[in-house]
Amino acid sequence: MVPGFTEDQTMSEVIKEAWAIQAESMNQWVFACLMAAGMDPVDAKLVARSLVQTSLWGIDSHGVARVPHYLKRIQAGSIDPKPQIQVHRTGPCTAQVDGGHGHGIVICHRAMEEAIAMAKENGLGAVGVGNSSHCGAIGLYGRQAASQGLVALALTHSDAFVAPYGGRAKFLGTNPICLAVPSSNALEPICVDMATSAVSWNRVENARRENQPLEKGWALDQHGSPTTDPHAVGCLLPLAAYKGYALAFLIDLFCGPLNAMPYGPRIPAMYGDYAQQRRLGSFMMALDPKRFAGGATLASTAVAMAAEARRQPPAFDGAEILVPGDPEYRCEKIRRRSGIPIEPGQWKEIREWSQRMKVEAPTKVNNNEARPMEI
Ligand SMILES: NC(=O)c1ccc[n+]([C@@H]2O[C@H](COP(=O)([O-])OP(=O)(O)OC[C@H]3O[C@@H](n4cnc5c(N)ncnc54)[C@H](O)[C@@H]3O)[C@@H](O)[C@H]2O)c1
């Protein structure tokens, strides 16, 4: 248990005050920091937009909170701010991308762009990625393809944080998966984007930063005992026991060995030596639904199916049925109005990095509607 908090305290009880930064102000700050770090303006714009979008979706583990991490890695030399990204077509529907150790968000967008181009030309595009770095929320890339009317699969892996099912020491990454299907509303595809661990590691990082407890069932300590203290975590648990473990194992093979990159415990640590290149891989796939019998009506059927699911009887009074993607689109509507919530430790980091990079800090406003969705 974290000192100062009871085990049953919820996030809203722990956070007494809510502060927020409007999306545009945050976007300008992230862009300015990345430019000061030496990134190409087009790439800095893409990364800033992607991180702000991720935060607008409510994914506080993988949005603007990670800016200090990326800046540290650029400064230490393991992320090349102006990488030579090479795209090699290996067949009509396949390509291999060498990311040149650039920013993972830039590399994965480029890889999905290639998958989209092949899917439009030949029905299917599958792209392996190597020599990359942390690429943020994998849902960015699934939605990139779905917004162009394509069905998408996006995978990436991380260094070892998660125990294999039945184990008590970390072996696999939090290896996330995204599956996306276009809907008639191009801005809101049906999209699942999640880690295959009980929780993503960056939520633990945020909890450490704010000194807040974790939920039960997420982690074990160094001795293999359950813990809610973020500072005592030895490893995370897989999502849904052996099912998450099995998915993570296969995702690692798709992202690491398939792209001649390392797997699990052999991947350089995200929070380890900042000068060491990560050598991460990813896998991006897009396919044209019109090549399949139901393709012409898929987008409208997806919307109808979602509406039908939401009308199903709730399990208990007050329960609400959602479909994948709903929480993110709802959160975005609120945060576009009220801003992106900023926690005290995060605000301290923003001020410190503004000074270090010699950029103006964004404007912080008090706004209770903008409470964090998660740690
Ligand atoms: N790049 C990396 O190395 C890496 C590693 C791990 C995780 N991540 C990212 O971390 C982020 C968070 O992952 P997470 O596992 O904490 O996500 P999560 O547990 O919050 O799950 C999110 C997914 O579940 C869906 N969902 C939530 N509630 C739902 C409901 N009631 N009904 C239907 N669907 C619902 C959401 O729409 C979303 O697709 C993701 O964006 C992921 O890509 C990245």
Side-chain angles (χ1 to χ4, degrees), residues 54 57-59 61-62 70 133-141 143 156-159 161 173-179 191-203 239 270 278 280 320-329 374:
T54 303
W57 284 327
I59 307 171
S61 52
H62 286 73
Y70 298 135
S133 64
H134 188 254
C135 67
I138 199 76
L140 287 166
Y141 316 105
R143 286 180 174 92
T156 196
H157 63 166
S158 78
D159 49 308
F161 292 113
T174 51
N175 307 353
I177 178 168
C178 172
L179 285 165
C191 178
V192 63
D193 165 25
M194 59 177 204
T196 48
S197 43
V199 66
S200 70
W201 179 261
N202 283 320
R203 280 177 80 171
L239 170 75
M270 180 164 182
R278 299 290 316 283
L280 286 171
E320 191 185 10
I321 294 164
L322 302 175
V323 300
D326 279 353
E328 287 73 31
Y329 306 135
E374 58 179 47

Side-chain angles (χ1 to χ4, degrees), residues 216-299:
K216 285 180 191 167
W218 283 357
L220 302 178
D221 66 16
Q222 302 288 353
H223 311 291
S225 303
T227 184
T228 58
D229 179 350
H231 307 286
V233 175
C235 66
L236 299 177
L237 290 166
L239 170 75
Y242 60 86
K243 298 185 191 187
Y245 165 57
L247 264 176
F249 201 110
L250 270 294
I251 290 171
D252 214 355
L253 287 168
F254 269 62
C255 297
L258 182 65
N259 299 306
M261 291 291 114
Y263 60 81
R266 295 160 195 235
I267 299 171
M270 180 164 182
Y271 296 100
D273 177 358
Y274 275 64
Q276 192 181 9
Q277 291 165 335
R278 299 290 316 283
R279 301 191 65 229
L280 286 171
S282 296
F283 184 81
M284 303 288 150
M285 199 171 90
L287 68 90
D288 181 358
K290 292 196 203 73
R291 307 275 178 145
F292 298 85
T297 51
L298 182 66

Side-chain angles (χ1 to χ4, degrees), residues 140-173:
L140 287 166
Y141 316 105
R143 286 180 174 92
Q144 183 187 349
S147 68
Q148 299 200 38
L150 301 169
V151 171
L153 164 72
L155 308 171
T156 196
H157 63 166
S158 78
D159 49 308
F161 292 113
V162 189
Y165 178 65
R168 62 182 169 82
K170 55 190 185 183
F171 178 74
L172 285 177

